[in-house]
Amino acid sequence: MGEVVVKSMTGLLSWASRMATAKLPITISWTIGEPTRREKQNKLAQRWFSDIARHFGDRDREDVRADCKLRFGVPILRAENDAFRASYDPVLKAHPYEVKLAAIKAWDMPVTRLMTVKQMTSFMDAIQREYLPRGVRLTDPEALKYEVME
């Protein structure tokens, strides 16, 4: 089912009626408050990785995710995060693209997790600049609001 944001008693009752007919067992967790901007950015970025993978069909979402981290995220962090640069450069900088990509995937290297909201915006802007001109239909951030229960 995914994430649901409930903003009213009507929304809560609607969600509860859906859960009443759900196949059991189910796991439910909740957080007080709305998703942060960062959580919204992360959700959209994950969707974009799937959009890109589906468009080209030659790699899966995790391949696209690692490629975007390496080509767009690493340069942002190397330029703006001294600690990241100090750990990345001696270990990976000199290696060819394929080795770096394999390392990012194998270690689930934190790149976007280390980013500020501003850096994440730059990362997502870079993805758009790369893929929109190539005909990839990236999920519109506005469309995500229709997945949220009011």
Side-chain angles (χ1 to χ4, degrees), residues 11-125:
L12 180 60
L13 294 172
S14 175
W15 177 81
S17 70
R18 288 184 195 176
M19 291 299 98
T21 61
K23 184 179 178 191
L24 298 177
I26 60 174
T27 301
I28 299 171
S29 62
W30 72 85
T31 303
I32 302 298
E34 294 205 35
T36 65
R37 178 176 173 149
R38 180 169 177 72
E39 290 166 335
K40 291 175 182 177
Q41 284 180 310
N42 289 342
K43 182 177 181 179
L44 182 60
Q46 296 300 322
R47 183 67 65 87
W48 284 3
F49 302 147
S50 295
D51 293 342
I52 295 163
R54 190 171 31 260
H55 177 84
F56 292 106
D58 61 344
R59 45 199 170 142
D60 66 19
R61 187 182 89 53
E62 287 303 310
D63 292 330
V64 172
R65 178 177 175 240
D67 176 67
C68 287
K69 282 179 163 186
L70 179 56
R71 292 194 306 127
F72 309 123
V74 166
I76 291 167
L77 286 182
R78 285 189 66 253
E80 299 179 20
N81 184 320
D82 293 337
F84 179 86
R85 185 176 51 256
S87 62
Y88 176 89
D89 285 7
V91 176
L92 287 174
K93 186 175 182 239
H95 291 283
Y97 168 85
E98 293 78 15
V99 172
K100 293 176 193 176
L101 190 65
I104 285 173
K105 284 180 69 176
W107 299 332
D108 189 23
M109 179 186 286
V111 175
T112 55
R113 281 175 281 195
L114 301 176
M115 290 182 172
T116 64
V117 169
K118 181 181 174 189
Q119 290 168 334
M120 190 69 175
T121 299
S122 296
F123 173 75
M124 295 179 76
D125 288 346

